[in-house]
Amino acid sequence: MRRLPIYFLIDVSESMVGEPIEQVQDGMASIIKNLRTDPYALETAWISVIVFAGQPKTLAPLQEVTSFYPPKFPVGSGTSLSKGLGHLMYELRKNFVRTTFEQKGDWKPIVFLFTDGVPTDSPSDLKAAIAEWKQNWQQTANLVAISFGDSTDNRILGELTENVLCFNNTDANAYQQFFKWVTDSIKTSSLSVENNLTGFELAKFDDRTITKIDLSKQDYQPVVDDNFVVLAAKCQNTKRPYVIKYRKNVYMDARGDVGLRFQLVGAFKVDSSYYELSDEDAINLKINTDILVGGPVCPCCGNQFGLAFDETCGKIHCVGTEKVSTCPWCGNQAEYSSGTTGFDVNRTRG
């Protein structure tokens, strides 16, 4: 049986935390459910899921649709597209069956890349990964790059593939429409290979939900994703990690001056895989709390102050009504109070 390998390469950086990652989780479940009702997909489609943040990981190895169960998606710090691509190419080399005189190999693999932000790789690492992709896989696999929103580094995506699209999260049904389009694209490709046609046919899409991207509009910005500010924290009571997410907001004040601040999106629980998927290279990037609008409740224990700063270790945790609090990072005990001036805190790569 000739396989049609389908790889999902998914950005699980901190900027995806909250609704985006939850919708991707639900979307993968809907894709598999619908593919199991399609006879052509059942015959040919094999699915794999690879995630990347600061580090990459195979969440689901290549397998038949019938045996595939959507994995739980983690999050990590950083957006290392070079490591994500490198891991994808490793999986392709390991799994791809080439045609020989003795057998017919796999159909041309299809890769769906989902990302919502700016790569935080060094330019040299990213350049090397893109060069390897172009040399070894650009003609051997079909890659579709999809930007979740309009904050992605489109120029980089354009170097990887001509199939660069933007998913517009415009309403409550947008995610459903988007993942239906992904499912339909897999179905049409499965039908195509069964009929000995091209093997790669994207389904038609509604321009309100999915649009072609202007590949000339953005420049590459390394180190950190400036569309968001993400802070890493720990719960004082449960010792569990969580992240606090703020979204960029450019505004104009009463005098007509343009200013920058970041509006709270929320605080979100993460598990220990957050550290496994985070970039191992330490950075020393800070943000002043004066431009962070809103303070979260701890998502792990409900403490009303989810952004307390320990001067001893320089890290963030939650505090409640207790007189003396204990930092879950370093064990330092201290009394905390609120202030009227901002202070610098460490931010992650986003």
Side-chain angles (χ1 to χ4, degrees):
M1 182 187 301
R2 298 187 71 181
R3 306 181 303 180
L4 175 61
I6 311 290
Y7 288 88
F8 289 91
L9 180 59
I10 299 176
D11 174 0
V12 292
S13 60
E14 295 153 319
S15 56
M16 286 284 286
V17 76
E19 182 191 33
I21 204 70
E22 292 171 4
Q23 292 290 354
V24 169
Q25 181 94 38
D26 293 342
M28 283 302 304
S30 70
I31 288 172
I32 299 305
K33 179 180 179 181
N34 285 297
L35 289 181
R36 285 176 176 163
T37 66
D38 183 86
Y40 298 104
L42 284 173
E43 285 292 322
T44 60
W46 284 53
I47 308 292
S48 176
V49 176
I50 300 168
V51 296
F52 67 97
Q55 300 292 336
K57 183 178 184 179
T58 298
L59 283 192
L62 193 66
Q63 58 195 276
E64 295 176 278
V65 171
T66 52
S67 60
F68 186 94
Y69 289 91
K72 178 176 174 57
F73 286 88
V75 294
S77 179
T79 308
S80 183
L81 182 57
S82 66
K83 291 178 181 176
L85 282 173
H87 196 74
L88 167 67
M89 290 185 281
Y90 164 77
E91 291 287 353
L92 286 168
R93 287 192 299 270
K94 182 174 69 172
N95 296 313
F96 186 58
V97 178
R98 298 183 183 275
T99 297
T100 65
F101 289 112
E102 291 78 23
Q103 66 175 355
K104 290 185 176 181
D106 291 336
W107 300 103
K108 201 171 183 179
I110 299 173
V111 179
F112 289 95
L113 166 60
F114 299 166
T115 182
D116 78 329
V118 177
T120 58
D121 313 68
S122 71
S124 59
D125 288 345
L126 195 52
K127 183 178 179 180
I130 291 173
E132 183 183 352
W133 174 262
K134 287 181 175 179
Q135 179 178 347
N136 298 322
W137 293 103
Q138 196 168 54
Q139 302 304 316
T140 310
N142 296 300
L143 191 151
V144 185
I146 300 147
S147 163
F148 273 47
D150 58 3
S151 300
T152 305
D153 188 335
N154 300 327
R155 184 178 65 84
I156 294 298
L157 298 181
E159 290 189 45
L160 294 169
T161 176
E162 62 182 17
N163 299 304
V164 183
L165 305 172
C166 179
F167 164 54
N168 304 304
N169 182 14
T170 54
D171 55 49
N173 295 319
Y175 277 101
Q176 294 180 14
Q177 295 300 316
F178 170 71
F179 284 106
K180 182 180 184 303
W181 170 80
V182 174
T183 306
D184 290 344
S185 294
I186 296 174
K187 287 182 177 180
T188 55
S189 295
S190 299
L191 177 61
S192 179
V193 298
E194 284 287 325
N195 293 329
N196 295 312
L197 299 175
T198 65
F200 178 59
E201 293 186 19
L202 292 177
K204 294 181 179 179
F205 52 80
D206 182 346
D207 286 339
R208 292 173 299 177
T209 304
I210 304 170
T211 55
K212 290 285 287 183
I213 276 184
D214 177 2
L215 297 177
S216 64
K217 110 175 162 174
Q218 290 186 351
D219 293 324
Y220 175 62
Q221 302 171 346
V223 180
V224 66
D225 184 349
D226 268 331
N227 298 301
F228 301 92
V229 167
V230 181
L231 311 176
K234 267 187 183 181
C235 173
Q236 180 182 182
N237 294 319
T238 67
K239 308 299 188 293
R240 289 188 58 178
Y242 62 94
V243 294
I244 307 168
K245 178 180 177 181
Y246 292 84
R247 186 188 305 275
K248 180 192 283 184
N249 177 28
V250 179
Y251 68 97
M252 183 176 294
D253 64 21
R255 297 180 299 179
D257 295 328
V258 175
L260 173 66
R261 58 192 174 197
F262 292 85
Q263 186 72 43
L264 178 68
V265 176
F268 305 91
K269 287 188 275 188
V270 295
D271 56 32
S272 57
S273 63
Y274 170 77
Y275 302 109
E276 176 188 351
L277 287 167
S278 295
D279 197 316
E280 57 195 11
D281 295 329
I283 58 171
N284 186 29
L285 295 173
K286 297 186 180 295
I287 193 83
N288 193 275
T289 57
D290 274 343
I291 64 170
L292 302 180
V293 181
V297 171
C298 176
C300 301
C301 73
N303 271 346
Q304 290 301 299
F305 301 99
L307 204 173
F309 179 70
D310 186 302
E311 292 183 344
T312 302
C313 64
K315 295 185 177 181
I316 298 167
H317 62 91
C318 70
V319 296
T321 58
E322 67 279 349
K323 183 177 180 180
V324 176
S325 298
T326 303
C327 174
W329 297 94
C330 67
N332 180 55
Q333 292 188 320
E335 295 184 26
Y336 286 76
S337 61
S338 59
T340 57
T341 59
F343 52 91
D344 291 339
V345 294
N346 291 325
R347 64 184 293 187
T348 64
R349 291 184 184 270

